[in-house]
Amino acid sequence: MRRKKREYPEQSLGWLVQWFIHSAEFKALSKTTREEYTDRLKYLEPEFDFPLADLTTADIYAVRDRCVREKWPAFADKMVTALSSMFALALPRGWMKINPALGIKRASKTDPHANREWRPEEWQTVMSRARLELQTAYMLARHLGYRSQSIVVVTWENYQPDPRFGMCFRMRHKKNAEAHWLPASPELQAYLAKIRPENATGPIALRKGKPWATPYKLQKASSNFLTQLARDGLVGPGLTEHGLRVTFAAEIKRLTGANDDQVAAALGDRDSRMGAHYTRHVDQENKILFMWAQKARTDQDLENSKKDVFQIEKSVSVDKDLED
């Protein structure tokens, strides 16, 4: 039996939320954003009877702080963003006089090292424990550098023969709508040959036999799985599905010496700065390796110099003995 939707008093928070999620403005948002907003606003359900006229910025801070404790900072920030977007639509309609969510400081801090590179042993651990639906997504991310929004839509039709590499991927990424070509690694080709159904068409990455509904669904399933592995001490903290894009980019720079523009091209990004963004830690490694190589060379030079000195001393001693 379906539970009847609760009706909230007019001019209350719940009343506005119900209007918002059925509005034309809400429907114009991307599917992922709609799902995220709905999920975050649902957290506020215990407060839905609260009158809009009584809402203050202090109230928003209070619920944000509670959300940080009960959920996590980024969840709370997205909740505030959803509220602010909703309140902005209420203002011109005369339902509110101010937007109390405007100017709320973020609870989460941007981590420049977020989505770190996966270590080889972490990759092995994850792939040995992940369900097939996540294994496929991880293989596409690791060997193609695809974002989740590309992983959920890439199809078998995008996987095409290539005379140089055997197979390749050709597709237009939603991020920039530009045609992108990339060779499929031997490891990826072997994996896809193993899972590919006969006469396969449509999306490659599936969940329970069906395409992932949204990139957000994939991100959430992956986050839950990787977080649990970290809690169990099987992988380090901070492992994310998007970190495989970093891993892909880092491998290109290490193995080929590609510059930032070339790395960005492999990632399907227009801006070479994205190549630098994903591989800045590799550049740091290279600086240290260069310094270490210089030190090793200097140490060797010193060792050679000592040998020369000893040889000279020995020669002088022999010559003197001969003179005597």
Side-chain angles (χ1 to χ4, degrees):
M1 184 176 178
R2 292 183 65 181
R3 190 177 65 176
K4 187 178 179 182
K5 261 188 179 177
R6 185 183 164 190
E7 294 294 326
Y8 293 96
E10 193 169 333
Q11 302 293 316
S12 67
L13 181 61
W15 171 83
L16 183 59
V17 169
Q18 288 184 343
W19 171 85
F20 178 55
I21 60 177
H22 292 96
S23 68
E25 290 87 347
F26 184 83
K27 291 175 182 177
L29 299 172
S30 71
K31 190 176 181 181
T32 299
T33 302
R34 292 199 304 270
E35 285 197 348
E36 289 179 337
Y37 278 13
T38 302
D39 185 43
R40 271 46 169 193
L41 290 172
K42 188 177 179 181
Y43 171 81
L44 293 165
E45 204 164 355
E47 315 294 337
F48 275 7
D49 286 316
F50 204 94
L52 292 176
D54 295 341
L55 270 175
T56 66
T57 298
D59 293 324
I60 306 300
Y61 265 110
V63 75
R64 186 211 69 171
D65 292 346
R66 188 183 74 223
C67 186
V68 168
R69 293 191 301 270
E70 296 179 353
K71 293 287 189 177
W72 59 89
F75 186 100
D77 287 338
K78 182 64 73 171
M79 179 194 69
V80 172
T81 300
L83 283 172
S84 186
S85 299
M86 181 176 68
F87 294 156
L89 296 175
L91 284 173
R93 291 170 170 83
W95 299 335
M96 300 181 74
K97 293 182 179 180
I98 62 166
N99 183 342
L102 204 60
I104 297 287
K105 291 184 179 179
R106 292 179 61 83
S108 60
K109 295 181 180 178
T110 302
D111 181 2
H113 303 293
N115 301 314
R116 65 169 176 84
E117 181 180 359
W118 289 35
R119 296 191 296 272
E121 64 272 18
E122 290 177 322
W123 170 253
Q124 295 298 329
T125 297
V126 170
M127 290 300 286
S128 68
R129 289 167 172 78
R131 302 186 301 275
L132 180 63
E133 60 196 41
L134 288 177
Q135 282 185 5
T136 301
Y138 291 155
M139 285 295 291
L140 294 170
R142 171 65 183 83
H143 292 279
L144 297 173
Y146 280 7
R147 300 178 180 87
S148 54
Q149 65 184 36
S150 293
I151 291 171
V152 299
V153 298
V154 64
T155 67
W156 291 109
E157 288 83 355
N158 295 126
Y159 186 47
Q160 302 172 8
D162 186 277
R164 293 159 295 179
F165 299 97
M167 296 295 287
C168 70
F169 278 85
R170 289 187 175 91
M171 73 175 295
R172 291 184 182 274
H173 296 287
K174 187 177 179 181
K175 185 81 173 180
N176 52 33
E178 287 187 352
H180 184 234
W181 167 87
L182 198 67
S185 69
E187 295 88 348
L188 182 57
Q189 290 186 47
Y191 177 83
L192 294 177
K194 184 176 66 175
I195 69 163
R196 184 172 193 171
E198 190 175 352
N199 301 320
T201 59
I204 296 174
L206 302 175
R207 185 184 193 187
K208 298 179 180 178
K210 297 180 180 179
W212 289 90
T214 64
Y216 174 65
K217 293 284 189 184
L218 169 57
Q219 292 163 9
K220 191 170 183 179
S222 176
S223 177
N224 291 340
F225 171 64
L226 295 175
T227 299
Q228 188 57 55
L229 289 184
R231 285 174 182 160
D232 294 341
L234 297 172
V235 298
L239 215 59
T240 64
E241 174 249 321
H242 196 74
L244 288 171
R245 182 170 168 83
V246 177
T247 307
F248 170 76
E251 183 177 63
I252 291 173
K253 179 163 279 194
R254 285 199 190 97
L255 295 183
T256 69
N259 60 34
D260 294 338
D261 189 52
Q262 291 167 327
V263 172
L267 290 168
D269 278 311
R270 295 174 180 172
D271 194 341
S272 63
R273 287 178 297 181
M274 293 309 296
H277 170 72
Y278 285 114
T279 61
R280 59 191 183 279
H281 66 292
V282 179
D283 290 331
Q284 185 71 10
E285 288 173 10
N286 289 337
K287 290 175 183 176
I288 295 171
L289 287 171
F290 177 78
M291 178 187 71
W292 215 253
Q294 293 295 97
K295 181 181 183 299
R297 192 176 73 177
T298 302
D299 290 346
Q300 188 61 50
D301 288 343
L302 288 172
E303 185 64 29
N304 291 338
S305 297
K306 289 177 183 178
K307 290 179 181 177
D308 291 342
V309 170
F310 295 149
Q311 186 64 42
I312 291 170
E313 289 176 347
K314 182 179 179 182
S315 299
V316 171
S317 175
V318 170
D319 291 344
K320 189 174 186 302
D321 289 340
L322 289 172
E323 286 177 2
D324 293 341

